Amino acid sequence: MGTDAHAFLSDLARGFAPRADQLVDATLQHLRSKLPDVWKYEDVAEVASVALSQHIAAALDFLERGLDITEVRTPPAAIEFAGRLAEHGVPISQLLRIYRLVHADLLDRLHTETTRTAGSQELISATTVALSATAFEYVDRTAEQSVAAYQSRRDRWLQRRLTVINEAGTRIGTTLDTTRTAQELTAVGADHLADLVVVDLLSSALPEEETYADADPATLRRVAQAVSDGCPAPALGTGRTHTCPEGSEPARVLATGQPMRLRLTADEVPGWLATSGDHADHLRALGLHSLLLVPLWARGHPLGLALFARRQPADPFDDDELLLAQEIASRAAVNIDNARRYTQERSTALTLQRSLLPHHMPKETAVETASRYLPSGSRAGVGGDWFDVIPLSGARVALVVGDVIGHGLHAAATMGRLRTAVRTLADIDLTPDELLTHLDDVVIRLQREEERDTDEISATCLYAIYDPVSRTCSLASAGHLPPAVVTPPTADDPGHVSRTVDFPELPVGPPLGLGGLPFETAQFELAPGSRLVLYTDGLIQSRSRDVDPALALLHDVLARAPASLEETCDELLSALLPSRPADDVALLVAQTRALDADHVATWELPSDPAFVSEARGHVSGQLTAWGLEELAFTTELVVSELVTNAIRYGKSPIQLRMILQSALTCEVSDASSTAPHLRRARVFDEGGRGLLLVAQLTEHWGTRHHREGKVIWAEQQIPASLGEASFTPR
């Protein structure tokens, strides 16, 4: 009976061959009703009928010829069908279900025909058993080959997708620039996914300096676009702004954060896509037929929209390609948001930084100054570098440069606090080492006030005091680079001017914030016309260059620097920083002046009240010599009170000094460290009004301490009517 069953099956299959097309049509209808989602892919539908026809023909041939199962090969169209399902991301379970449905239909029809045509029940039973066994072997064999083809194609597609994603990760977000990041997204999309890619960003997502002053936050601005090879450039370029009509597809994508796949016909172009009739004609000429609208969202907020478009003859976008577009767009959105946040923070920090730095350098008689501040060009952001020029009593001036460790708003704010602290400490006339000691305490106190998750505060600082009377410079360093000292120029011949540049070896204390370690003041004399060059490490430190070559270059530039301090600053930055600095740079160049004997008068006074009148006589005579007789009454009264206080409460030796510059300063020094205090005397008190009178009659007054005692000083402004030309130091 086995032989009869196989012979019967062979005849049965031969009889079905002429009706194969009918079987194909009936099976296709059954598959469409059972698996409608599979047939939405046009390329899958195109190959499905061929694959099914080859499958049925191969199955009938297998039965008719009684082939060995090892000789069975899955038809080529069926292999292609499985591969296309894999490319579209159709689950492999759907492929296997298609196999079951196809072969179940064919088996059912063969079994029905067997029942109708077989002559005996015994032949029907034998044929049914043989047909079932043969059918299962055939399905297993062909399904195994189709699954292998599916898996191979799926692996290749996933590998391609992974390659595109990896490339996107490498190419997108190379800078913290919003527009550049959007351009990188369009370039990757045009290379691997679409014929035309555009990126529109909301005005609220653009850097402040790139938005229009009256721009609606919901306005979209086209910031980038790219086309694939062979695709004509779009008619409209970047830079234009537009809004999405309410209820339109782009508006819904922006509002919901969900992507959308659209089909375009040759005749219909959406109004939101075409801005004019000519633009619509251009889009029709491009032959666009498939669109992906992908939202650019980051951290729960919309940033804009990416549009991917395909033109004929490319296939429409499928679900997997939509997922791929979402993947690279989401990566780009995070980078765009990072760039936006970085730009906003950098702009805020830079604004804060510049608002805290001196806007105009004060006109000092002791020094002439020029300065520069350059923010960092790296991703780290704006740092905490600062400089300052602070007028001090006795015609002196303080020169400060510092660097807060770190970057961003925190560093800029810390810089402002430290600069304020330095100015406050300078106002009480501390020596450089004492000032840095107090500043170190300030930093330690700030560290204790900081939250635990913030970076620890640390800073370096160089504080120098220049005295134009003694021409001495006293300075101390808290972990900061020493200054460059440049001597006045010497002319060897009319065409050559040279300067000597020195980097003095100074005691460098620890950075601010360590506590418990001492600072030391160094002192040296400077000839008139010398230059002190103070700078932060960003000027000489670089990843591509060692410090020693940078210092050598700094030396060479300063040795041949021009007479203008502004030009000197420009030449230093041009030579040492040809490109944007990797770290912030603060640069302060000060050229010293000197007050000669014609501008300074000094008298030694005995500790005897009888000599107060003699002090007034000295003052009167000196004011006459300077042509300042109009100030005699006030100045004599001030000097009387200061000398009387020194004699009554201080210790010998007592010295009176008058300094003439843009203001008139009277100083009385003694060997006592006891500081006077301003108080308001009661009605019947016989004393206590001296310093109150001094404070009322002068512009500024104060006390400064030194190792030998103290100095009480008072400063008066010289009336404009007396002129200042003769009071300028050399």
Side-chain angles (χ1 to χ4, degrees), residues 318-513:
D318 58 34
D319 289 342
D320 276 344
E321 287 169 329
L322 178 59
L323 290 174
L324 179 57
Q326 278 186 278
E327 179 70 23
I328 63 176
S330 64
R331 287 172 177 257
V334 171
N335 286 304
I336 289 172
D337 190 54
N338 288 340
R340 178 185 65 86
R341 293 159 68 94
Y342 165 79
T343 301
Q344 290 178 344
E345 180 174 337
R346 176 183 171 81
S347 176
T348 303
L350 189 56
T351 301
L352 175 62
Q353 176 90 320
R354 286 176 171 164
S355 69
L356 295 174
L357 290 172
H359 290 180
H360 304 286
M361 300 302 290
K363 292 183 178 180
E364 291 294 326
T365 55
V367 293
E368 177 189 358
T369 59
S371 61
R372 294 289 187 275
Y373 169 74
L374 293 181
S376 165
S378 69
R379 296 189 178 190
V382 176
D385 292 19
W386 90 93
F387 61 87
D388 213 343
V389 179
I390 308 172
L392 301 177
S393 63
R396 300 168 307 134
V397 64
L399 306 172
V400 190
V401 66
D403 183 2
V404 176
I405 308 303
H407 295 84
L409 278 172
H410 185 261
T414 302
M415 177 276 288
R417 300 165 81 177
L418 294 187
R419 178 174 179 257
T420 301
V422 170
R423 280 191 158 262
T424 303
L425 295 171
D427 197 46
I428 59 177
D429 265 332
L430 296 175
T431 60
D433 57 325
E434 291 175 333
L435 184 141
L436 291 182
T437 299
H438 285 284
L439 190 62
D440 189 41
D441 293 337
V442 170
V443 173
I444 293 173
R445 190 158 53 249
L446 292 177
Q447 289 175 348
R448 293 171 181 166
E449 295 172 358
E450 289 293 315
E451 298 179 0
R452 292 184 177 180
D453 58 347
T454 58
D455 295 334
E456 184 173 297
I457 295 175
S458 182
T460 65
C461 183
L462 180 68
Y463 185 81
I465 297 176
Y466 175 68
D467 187 344
V469 177
S470 63
R471 300 195 297 275
T472 57
C473 178
S474 305
L475 72 166
S477 171
H480 203 87
L481 296 166
V485 179
V486 187
T487 62
T490 57
D492 299 332
D493 57 70
H496 178 71
V497 176
S498 63
R499 302 173 187 266
T500 302
V501 182
D502 184 32
F503 298 95
E505 294 185 4
L506 306 175
V508 178
L512 300 171

Side-chain angles (χ1 to χ4, degrees), residues 135-153:
F136 281 119
E137 286 183 346
Y138 180 85
V139 169
D140 287 345
R141 179 70 172 175
T142 55
E144 180 182 351
Q145 294 173 358
S146 292
V147 167
Y150 175 98
Q151 195 62 49
S152 176
R153 186 77 66 90

